[in-house]
Amino acid sequence: MNTDPNLLWAPTAARAEQSDVAAFMRMLDRTRGLRFADYAELWRWSTTDPNAFWAAVWEYYGLDAVSAYDTVLDDPRMPGARWFPGARINFAERCLARTPDGRTALIEVPESGPPVETSWRQLRRDVAALAASLRAMGVEPGDCVAGFLPNTAAAVVALLASAAVGAVWTVCSPEFGTAGVAARLRQAEPKVLVAADGYRYAGKEFDRRSAVAEILDELPTVRHVIAVDLLTESRAGSGTGSGGPGRSGVARHSWSDAVADEAELRFADVPFDHPLWILWSSGTTGPPKGMVQGHGGIVVELLKALGLGADVRPDDRCLFHTSTAWMLWNFMVGCLLHGATLVLYDGSPTHPDVNGVWRVAEVSRATVVGVGAAYLTAGENADAHPASAHDLSRVRSVLQTGSALPDSTWRWVYDRVSDDVWLQSICGGTDVCSVLAGGSALLPVRAGRIQCPALGVALAAWDSDGRPVEDQQGELVVTAPLPSMPLYFLGDPDGERYRSSYFDTYPGVWRHGDWVSVANDLSVVVAGRSDATLNRMGIRMGSAELYAVVEALPEIADSLVVGVEAPDGTYSMPLFVVPASGAEVDERLKARVAGEIKQRLSPRHVPDAIVPVAAVPRTLTGKKLEVPVKRILQGAPVAEVRAEGTISHPEMLAWFADFAAGRGSPGPG
């Protein structure tokens, strides 16, 4: 009899025994004489003997038949740890290594209309053809290929073809404004741009041809554009197609021509740490950070995370509701490493109703569904009953990420989706393109708690003095390196920006930027971001990008934006603005501010509220007090965050405290 009111699910003995992690443990026993009583013992070994653990991962997933290596971890110091020197491995080759011809590789599900399937054979053929076209365009290993693409088969093919050539891939979602795209892709200096003419969302078409032309004007390194026509089969004279407007000196090609010819599928023979892709995030100051991750690190990390953690199998159909702008998209593509099928959906999760994702799961026969916390809470708030509206009998696991999930929503999943589904709440990040804490098929699920730290992740909660704390909130730190940590940041030749992002607080130890607590049973609770990074629906955004747009308006003298996680799992992102002399923050100006943000950045950047204030408090060196204001809005006393004599406009901290308590009077405007 279950006496734990928070226990929602536990694997049966048979289900646990059939999991990938159980098979891994049997291999350790058989080949190394290592026996572990439970997950906790396995995790502790994986983090205290990383050389042995990662060597076992390499062997378990058959990489010893792909390449030898000199040693596992040449230098464990962070940053700069060097993994598997001497190994040579290509991400695309590993994704396409397990390709039985009779099975489906990709399923595209539109908002309306039937699903479109791509076989493994066709995927290999398309990747081979596009890789040959890229080589014909002069793309060589180390060059950059960029995408302006939604979550479609073309994006997956373009990533794999770029990796096959040894080029570095990066992508922006077409919902992004041109300023946000240009701020990223200019740093990457792409030679080829693969661009969609638009996308469909919530029953509407969004034509992005003019945006492509504007982006091209900002990218002088682009020599070729490959036009992907998603809104119509052919758009002669469009901004992406041949003969269309845009910068001179750029050759234009259609997607159909780029993948038309039969070609031999060849993979560049690249070292373990050869750059694979650039993922984008932002700090609180400066341009977006371009984080470069390597072929080998991503291969071994996603084999481990998706196999030993999420238990993805070759017969799975994996549906992750994500855009190409989220690291979850790259994480999803990693399911190909396990021979699983990808379900690609780029529409609204609530189209035609709040059960939109569950509809896609039904028609695609998905077995693994990945969603953000906001989607699940929206279903709960709408009193939705997905299992009554759709056949979800094939769904065996739901991965939830993006932010913390309220306890009531955990229970809603088991009441309204399935009482026998494995709900995996995962915490990770763009920084490692993987999971730091997440699920295990060996452990029970309890409301409000992530099951465990991921294998190989030396995760802990530390106080401000660098001491581990148990069952207390502290900084999430990782005390040993991971293979998928960034190789470097773009435009950071001496590594200073990389070091300051993760290693300034605790030298030699990765500080992730989350508040967490870790219990004695290794379950984890994430309390929210400890830094000023905004995290909207799982998309991490830098405040500097938003300030650049808002403060360009003549009516705005200064601004401050924070993302506030509440105890009930909700998230709010207010924008505080100081009006310029003579300006009034009325509804018309608020609408203009929101419109500029939506157009130049993305709809996700639009704040929940625009509030006039008298001043923005800053440090004496001019930095906005984003983190202190965030903590005050979360309920921290002013005395805990105020540093006497070190800030301008200290009186504003009391104003923010009154605002949080509902006592704040509007500022000027």
Side-chain angles (χ1 to χ4, degrees), residues 355-399:
N355 289 327
V357 169
W358 306 117
R359 175 191 70 84
V360 176
E362 178 183 35
V363 301
S364 64
R365 294 177 293 166
T367 58
V368 178
V369 177
V371 291
Y375 180 68
L376 297 179
T377 55
E380 180 190 19
N381 293 337
D383 197 27
H385 202 314
S388 294
H390 301 282
D391 179 4
L392 303 179
S393 59
R394 295 180 180 86
V395 178
R396 66 180 181 86
S397 183
V398 173
L399 277 76

Side-chain angles (χ1 to χ4, degrees), residues 379 383-388 392 411-419:
D383 197 27
H385 202 314
S388 294
L392 303 179
R411 301 180 191 283
W412 175 85
V413 169
Y414 282 91
D415 183 48
R416 299 297 182 88
V417 177
S418 171
D419 61 1

Side-chain angles (χ1 to χ4, degrees), residues 9-340:
W9 177 88
T12 63
R15 188 164 179 173
E17 188 70 11
Q18 294 165 4
S19 68
D20 212 26
V21 66
F24 178 69
M25 292 171 74
R26 289 192 293 271
M27 183 208 77
L28 293 174
D29 185 4
R30 184 177 65 253
T31 64
R32 291 161 170 79
L34 295 171
R35 297 182 182 180
F36 303 100
D38 53 23
Y39 183 89
E41 284 191 6
L42 176 65
W43 174 77
R44 290 188 177 95
W45 169 76
S46 76
T47 57
T48 56
D49 195 350
N51 285 276
F53 170 71
W54 290 103
V57 170
W58 188 275
E59 178 184 339
Y60 180 71
Y61 287 109
L63 298 181
D64 49 340
V66 177
S67 174
Y69 55 84
D70 299 331
T71 187
V72 174
L73 185 53
D74 185 50
D75 185 346
R77 289 177 297 180
M78 294 189 290
R82 188 163 177 246
W83 291 91
F84 293 99
R88 305 189 74 82
I89 195 164
N90 186 293
F91 173 79
E93 189 273 333
R94 298 318 304 155
C95 284
L96 297 173
R98 302 170 63 173
T99 55
D101 287 338
R103 291 183 47 239
T104 301
L106 311 176
I107 304 173
E108 290 182 278
V109 182
E111 284 190 337
S112 59
V116 178
E117 298 191 359
T118 301
S119 68
W120 281 101
R121 176 180 293 175
Q122 184 65 39
L123 178 61
R124 288 175 63 90
R125 198 212 72 83
D126 288 349
V127 170
L130 183 58
S133 294
L134 292 175
R135 291 186 179 103
M137 295 173 194
V139 175
E140 299 177 346
D143 288 338
C144 180
V145 176
F148 183 63
L149 297 165
N151 178 24
T152 60
V156 176
V157 171
L159 162 57
L160 295 178
S162 299
V165 173
V168 184
W169 169 255
T170 192
V171 64
C172 290
S173 174
E175 71 182 45
F176 272 30
T178 54
V181 176
R184 288 160 173 78
L185 299 190
R186 266 198 308 264
Q187 298 180 62
E189 299 182 339
K191 182 177 286 187
V192 175
L193 178 67
V194 186
D197 61 347
Y199 62 99
R200 296 179 176 88
Y201 192 88
K204 300 178 181 178
E205 288 192 353
F206 295 85
D207 190 327
R208 301 295 283 153
R209 290 174 292 167
S210 60
V212 174
E214 293 175 19
I215 292 166
L216 277 176
D217 287 339
E218 298 288 335
L219 302 177
T221 58
V222 171
R223 293 291 175 264
H224 297 268
V225 173
I226 301 175
V228 181
D229 292 321
L230 297 178
L231 299 186
T232 61
E233 291 185 0
S234 176
R235 292 225 182 195
S238 75
T240 57
S242 59
R247 183 168 54 81
S248 61
V250 177
R252 291 166 172 79
H253 316 265
S254 71
W255 176 263
S256 58
D257 287 343
V259 299
D261 297 332
E262 294 288 339
E264 177 188 359
L265 184 54
R266 295 188 290 118
F267 302 100
D269 181 31
V270 296
F272 186 92
D273 57 358
H274 185 79
L276 168 62
W277 58 42
I278 305 164
L279 299 184
W280 299 97
S281 186
S282 295
T284 56
T285 60
K289 294 181 294 188
M291 296 175 284
V292 182
Q293 292 159 342
H295 279 251
I298 289 296
V299 167
V300 296
E301 176 60 38
L302 296 192
L303 281 172
K304 182 267 300 183
L306 288 162
L308 303 184
D311 201 37
V312 170
R313 308 166 184 173
D315 59 351
D316 274 322
R317 294 187 169 201
C318 301
L319 162 64
F320 288 66
H321 182 256
T322 179
S323 78
T324 54
W326 193 1
M327 56 74 51
L328 195 63
W329 183 81
N330 302 69
F331 188 74
M332 173 193 68
V333 174
C335 293
L336 296 176
L337 293 167
H338 294 274

